[in-house]
Amino acid sequence: MARLALVDMRRNNPCMLFTPITLNQTRIENRIVLPAMVTRLSGEDGHINEDITARYLRFARGEVGLIIIEAMAVHASKSGPLLRMNADEFIPEHTELARRIHNTSPSKVFPQIIHFLKIARSGWRQTVDMLSLEEIDGIVEAYGQAAARARTCGYDGVELHMAHAYTLSSFLSRRNPRRDGYGGSLENRLRLPLRVIEKVRASVGADFCVGLRFDGEECIKGGYTSVESRVMALRFAQAGINYISVSAGGKFEDALPKAGHPLYPYTGYSGDRCMPSVAYPDGVNRPIPAAIKRYLVENGFGTPVLSAGKINTPELANEVLASGEADLIGMARPLLADPDWPRKVRDGHWDKVVRCCYANVCKALDENFQKVRCFLWPKGAINAPESSDRIGPVWPTGGAGLSASWKNGRIALAWKAASDNEAVYGYDVFRREVLGGEAAGASAYFRRVTAVPSGVSSYNFSEGVSGVGYVYYVT
């Protein structure tokens, strides 16, 4: 397979993906960011364990530019497995994690700090209008103290969680039900997040990187869109935030209830937009951070913006950067599938990357409170495997024997299993469409449509239609 040339041919610019960027005083060696991603590897005590450490060291060995450690609570409210930064007792273990990551690779590392409201298995959940003014003041203080601990631990910066279903995002929401100075108008809904930014900056100093992640669009009925979020981003930039990571959706308002379980905010349409599956086009959320970045520039701010949401190839990532839509690229599930994505692509080995297929098995594991892993990993593995083997897998004598059949509107593919001197990781399935006997336009090119793990040598497609020909190959 031909190697990908990391050049934007339309602009004849060298690939921006592996150019450094400085956030405040922190130099990031490339533009690839691992956004905060739930692992379910910690205990309910909030302490870092060996599984957590191993997961983040594995990401570091892939040399991603910036690692955002999964959300950790700024307060002591009870929850399921969740890291904590709400007390000084957690400082030594975070200091050790930061040290080990720094000793492993050039990757920089920020913790994401979060405040959340209470939810119950009965379906009840606390909402922002239930908070007293004293409790709001306590949230501000908690963020400031947690951020100061992050600096003490030797982290390179800190990220404030203002996205999805959690407290600060719920204040920003157009669905915020408060009727005082913290609800109603956009000015009021911004009040608490801006107080938090001000407190955090005062707690960590001017030279420490402070970023935030927020929803550029809520993706719920009555929620805000980029029409408002671009103004929010401008206010964040005016307040001195050093980068803005743009997410979407992930709200309680359209979550699907499940008897005996607390609401999981990624089960409705807004959850789909937060973690778009194979059913959504690549780069589905691109217009949202693009609108935010454009508005910031129009108003004189160069605050870096992160774009995420199925940006999964070097070509697409570089297109986003070269177009000026964003300055950083967030990749969560692609880096879970293959933490070595940055290093392989940088070194010209895109064809060696184990590519996420967006089946969202990882999301389903999180929803069911199980340890999050990629289903493309070898069975039972808690982290992506590593190998120095350079001998590729081989098909059996006579080839893969790929066959296809059509029945009841489904295309059924089957092939013979490959073998390898170590192990077969899995298979990629590619397809092109043929119209009128000839491939035309974009359909002339094969497109990767899915991946399956080792041990599986078949796949069924339900999106085929009469009148169109389909050509497949498997690697």
Side-chain angles (χ1 to χ4, degrees):
M1 186 179 294
R3 289 182 181 176
L4 173 72
L6 292 179
V7 177
D8 185 332
M9 299 306 294
R10 296 169 309 161
R11 298 171 177 268
N12 199 29
N13 287 336
C15 179
M16 294 179 64
L17 196 56
F18 294 98
T19 58
I21 185 172
T22 299
L23 307 177
N24 198 324
Q25 304 298 311
T26 302
R27 177 185 166 98
I28 311 298
E29 294 301 321
N30 59 62
R31 304 300 181 95
I32 307 167
V33 178
L34 173 74
M37 179 170 39
V38 173
T39 65
R40 299 283 182 188
L41 295 176
S42 69
E44 293 189 12
D45 61 4
H47 287 285
I48 294 173
N49 55 32
E50 275 306 308
D51 284 347
I52 288 284
T53 300
R55 174 67 59 91
Y56 287 102
L57 291 180
R58 182 66 186 91
F59 285 129
R61 287 194 291 275
E63 298 186 17
V64 59
L66 175 59
I67 295 169
I68 308 296
I69 302 291
E70 63 196 83
M72 52 193 73
V74 301
H75 57 318
S77 288
K78 185 178 179 181
S79 73
L82 182 75
L83 294 180
R84 300 279 173 173
M85 190 65 92
N86 63 291
D88 289 349
E89 68 178 279
F90 298 103
I91 290 176
E93 63 207 62
H94 282 278
T95 301
E96 178 65 7
L97 178 61
R99 184 192 68 80
R100 292 184 66 178
I101 290 173
H102 289 144
N103 287 346
T104 297
S105 84
S107 299
K108 297 302 191 294
V109 55
F110 300 178
Q112 185 186 75
I113 56 177
I114 184 174
H115 187 281
F116 55 87
L117 300 176
K118 300 172 184 176
I119 57 174
R121 293 182 181 275
S122 65
W124 174 88
R125 65 183 180 91
Q126 185 183 24
T127 53
V128 296
D129 54 325
M130 299 177 186
L131 292 171
S132 69
L133 295 178
E134 291 75 20
E135 287 172 319
I136 289 174
D137 290 343
I139 292 170
V140 174
E141 291 298 320
Y143 266 99
Q145 292 169 12
R149 293 185 188 102
R151 177 156 198 169
T152 298
C153 293
Y155 285 119
D156 301 294
V158 66
E159 182 174 281
L160 314 179
H161 197 332
M162 298 189 180
H164 311 148
Y166 308 106
T167 306
L168 296 184
S169 179
S170 297
F171 273 87
L172 289 171
S173 175
R174 283 179 64 90
R175 301 280 293 268
N176 173 348
R178 291 187 72 98
R179 297 182 178 275
D180 61 1
Y182 290 96
S185 68
L186 180 56
E187 176 75 9
N188 287 351
R189 285 154 39 212
L190 275 161
R191 193 176 310 280
L192 177 58
L194 290 174
R195 285 188 63 194
V196 167
I197 293 170
E198 180 182 22
K199 184 64 177 182
V200 166
R201 179 58 72 197
S203 300
V204 300
D207 61 341
F208 192 65
C209 184
V210 179
L212 64 81
R213 186 161 175 83
F214 88 121
D215 277 352
E217 184 171 317
E218 292 190 272
C219 303
I220 54 173
K221 184 175 177 60
Y224 67 73
T225 69
S226 60
V227 173
E228 280 195 333
S229 67
R230 61 183 187 163
V231 181
M232 296 176 188
L234 178 61
R235 292 293 290 120
F236 298 150
Q238 290 171 336
I241 214 73
N242 296 129
Y243 72 87
I244 297 171
S245 176
V246 182
S247 187
K251 308 296 288 186
F252 279 129
E253 283 80 359
D254 69 342
L256 304 179
K258 186 176 180 180
H261 294 271
L263 276 176
Y264 178 74
Y266 305 101
T267 48
Y269 171 71
S270 73
D272 276 5
R273 290 294 300 276
C274 183
M275 290 178 273
S277 71
V278 67
Y280 290 84
D282 290 347
V284 61
N285 291 333
R286 276 179 64 180
I288 304 171
I292 289 169
K293 180 65 179 180
R294 184 166 54 248
Y295 191 75
L296 288 172
V297 171
E298 288 172 352
N299 285 278
F301 283 86
T303 307
V305 169
L306 180 148
S307 184
K310 286 194 74 177
I311 301 175
N312 52 15
T313 68
E315 306 105 309
L316 181 55
N318 194 57
E319 179 182 308
V320 171
L321 295 171
S323 69
E325 295 176 26
D327 309 276
L328 297 159
I329 302 296
M331 296 183 182
R333 290 166 294 172
L335 290 175
L336 183 69
D338 191 346
D340 297 321
W341 196 108
R343 184 163 46 80
K344 288 177 179 177
V345 172
R346 181 198 65 202
D347 295 344
H349 301 304
W350 167 238
D351 58 319
K352 300 294 193 296
V353 171
V354 178
R355 297 172 61 186
C356 174
C357 62
Y358 296 99
N360 274 356
V361 172
C362 51
K363 178 185 174 187
L365 291 169
D366 176 31
E367 180 181 352
N368 289 284
F369 307 100
Q370 298 177 42
K371 292 181 178 181
V372 173
R373 58 184 302 279
C374 179
F375 94 122
L376 295 176
W377 296 346
K379 188 175 181 179
I382 198 66
N383 279 306
E386 296 176 90
S387 173
S388 59
D389 177 34
R390 293 296 180 265
I391 301 174
V394 296
W395 295 110
T397 302
L402 178 63
S403 64
S405 61
W406 169 267
K407 185 177 181 180
N408 297 327
R410 292 180 180 272
I411 301 170
L413 297 183
W415 57 90
K416 297 176 183 178
S419 60
D420 186 73
N421 62 309
E422 286 191 351
V424 174
Y425 205 115
Y427 305 91
D428 284 328
V429 181
F430 294 80
R431 179 178 69 202
R432 69 181 174 97
E433 298 172 358
V434 181
L435 305 175
E438 294 293 335
S443 295
Y445 300 95
F446 279 95
R447 179 175 63 89
R448 178 179 175 272
V449 289
T450 194
V452 295
S454 175
V456 178
S457 54
S458 63
Y459 197 85
N460 291 331
F461 292 93
S462 60
E463 66 268 28
V465 295
S466 301
V468 179
Y470 301 94
V471 182
Y472 291 90
Y473 76 84
V474 176
T475 61

